[in-house]
Every structure is written in structure tokens, then in C-alpha cells.
Amino acid sequence: MINVALPKGRLGEKVYRMLSGAGYSCREFSPENRKLVFTDRENGVSYFWVKPADSAKYVELGAADVGFAGKDILAENEPDVYELLDLNLGKCRMCVAAKEDYREDTLRPVRVATKFVNVARNYYVKKGRDAEIIKLNGSIELAPILGLSDVIVDIVETGATLKENNLKVFETVFDISTRLIVNRASYKFKYGEIEKMVAKLKEAVK
Ligand code: PRP
């Protein structure tokens, strides 16, 4: 039996549809009910819904053998897992954005609001730019509007949130998509089952 952590919400349902297309459909599955665990005995897979931001933790600590996480979460938390496949789903970008008329003052540290403090810190360290990182938990776009920060480092998907708040992208930090991740010990001990799932998903991605 392999344990698979699915990210709750729209992305998880897309991932599940991809799994179904790859031959891993489960009769018990229903995104409508509140059940957190469902088991597909025929294929030997047990699924559970987790918060997307937690899926890498379940996999790293071995509660799940396989999971699905966005590149944003992987870059921020750097979990000790194998990243085996890009699912080409949940595509968006990690960006530096600010008010449309923002002009950088290089004489002082740039103030950066973000949920992704490690991503932001690494980005400015690489640039050799002093930065003051302000950790927020959501509605990051408010920070430059209220003068709490100069810029934000955040996810941009359609760009609608930025546009509606008169902000714009100044730089792209990296592209994001959903990755299949695997626990290191599981990959050794359940190699056959996991490789079979990865190979089938690879076909489905194509
Ligand atoms: C994310 C992100 C942006 C928005 C980008 O927020 O932080 O605010 O989506 O999407 P868009 O480019 O399509 O407008 P999320 O919806 O996760 O909410 P949050 O404010 O709680 O971070």
C-alpha cells in the first residue's frame, strides 16, 4: 500500500483527476464530503487530503510516501524529499511586485512583505541587496498600498490581484508548477509501486 498526500482544494482535485486518468481512480473518492482518508484497495493506494502547504512535511516525515507540492512550497521549506516529476499543473510565478510608480532607493534596505521569507531572503542575498523581510500570512498586496513595505514577493497567477490594486510585476523570481515528491526511505522500500505510479503519471502529463 502506498500513502498519497493530496493537496486540499482545486489543485488537489486536478491532481486526483490526473491520477484517475493514469488508472488510479478510487470508488470511495468524493471531494464533496469531509472524509480525509480514502482507500483504493484494487490499486493499493491510500489517499488523504492535507493543506497544500503541509504536503511536503507529510512526505518528508514519512506519514505519506508520495505527495504533491508547488515549487513555491518546495523552495520555501526545502524539504528533504525526492522531486520526481513536474505535473505541469498549478502554473504561476513567484514575483517581485510593487506600486506601478515605485522607484527603488538603493541607499537603504528594501522593505519586502511576503509569506515566503526564505525565498525572499535568498533572492536578495543572491542579488547582494540589503533587505528587511516582513512576514505576512495573506493579502500581501496590501503592504505596499499601506506603506508597510516597498515591494512584495508573492505568487502571481492571472495578475488580476495586482492589477486591481494598481501594482505591477518588477521581476520574476522563478516559475511555479506542481511537483510529485517522494519520501526518501519509501522510494527505497516501495520502489516498484512508486515507480509504477510515477511512470503512469508521466504518460498522463504528456
Ligand atoms: C494568491 C497570491 C495572490 C493571488 C495571485 O493569494 O498571494 O494574492 O493568489 O493570483 P492572481 O494573480 O490570479 O490574482 P491567495 O488567493 O492564496 O490568498 P492570500 O491572500 O491568502 O495569500
Side-chain angles (χ1 to χ4, degrees):
M1 187 70 90
I2 45 178
N3 295 311
V4 175
L6 285 175
K8 254 189 214 172
R10 243 182 333 136
L11 176 65
E13 285 160 32
K14 277 190 195 158
V15 171
Y16 179 75
R17 269 200 297 280
M18 189 177 266
L19 279 161
S20 292
Y24 288 92
S25 52
C26 172
R27 247 179 285 134
E28 256 193 59
F29 174 76
S30 163
E32 279 94 49
N33 68 31
R34 305 282 294 168
K35 204 169 150 68
L36 292 174
V37 182
F38 49 104
T39 306
D40 172 8
R41 295 196 190 283
E42 275 158 51
N43 288 307
V45 185
S46 184
Y47 300 95
F48 41 89
W49 292 117
V50 301
K51 279 268 181 202
D54 292 337
S55 65
K57 199 171 286 170
Y58 281 88
V59 174
E60 182 177 29
L61 300 177
D65 301 308
V66 174
F68 300 89
K71 193 67 189 169
D72 50 331
I73 304 294
L74 298 175
E76 177 64 17
N77 301 322
E78 297 187 339
D80 187 18
V81 296
Y82 292 121
E83 187 186 314
L84 296 187
L85 186 62
D86 183 345
L87 270 77
N88 241 335
L89 292 177
K91 286 179 136 185
C92 48
R93 296 182 289 158
M94 184 70 73
C95 293
V96 179
K99 288 209 267 193
E100 282 165 357
D101 60 0
Y102 170 64
R103 294 283 170 273
E104 187 173 350
D105 177 357
T106 51
L107 298 176
R108 60 167 179 81
V110 58
R111 292 172 307 149
V112 185
T114 188
K115 266 192 272 197
F116 301 93
V117 288
N118 295 323
V119 165
R121 194 173 300 114
N122 292 340
Y123 174 73
Y124 284 103
V125 165
K126 252 190 215 145
K127 279 176 82 102
R129 177 79 170 96
D130 280 339
E132 183 193 319
I133 312 287
I134 302 158
K135 158 95 183 173
L136 294 180
N137 294 299
S139 301
I140 314 296
E141 291 83 359
L142 264 180
I145 295 171
L146 300 181
L148 180 66
S149 74
D150 301 310
V151 302
I152 61 174
V153 168
D154 199 18
I155 292 170
V156 177
E157 191 181 354
T158 60
T161 312
L162 291 182
K163 200 162 173 225
E164 283 176 30
N165 292 290
N166 303 315
L167 304 173
K168 72 168 195 189
V169 170
F170 278 75
E171 270 168 285
T172 295
V173 182
F174 53 78
D175 290 321
I176 298 171
S177 56
T178 305
R179 310 298 164 94
L180 179 145
I181 53 173
V182 176
N183 173 270
R184 290 191 182 273
S186 303
Y187 194 53
K188 202 186 274 171
F189 295 114
K190 299 183 181 179
Y191 181 81
E193 291 154 276
I194 291 172
E195 264 304 301
K196 188 173 153 204
M197 179 179 270
V198 172
K200 285 192 170 177
L201 280 174
K202 226 178 241 170
E203 281 303 308
V205 172
K206 272 190 205 156

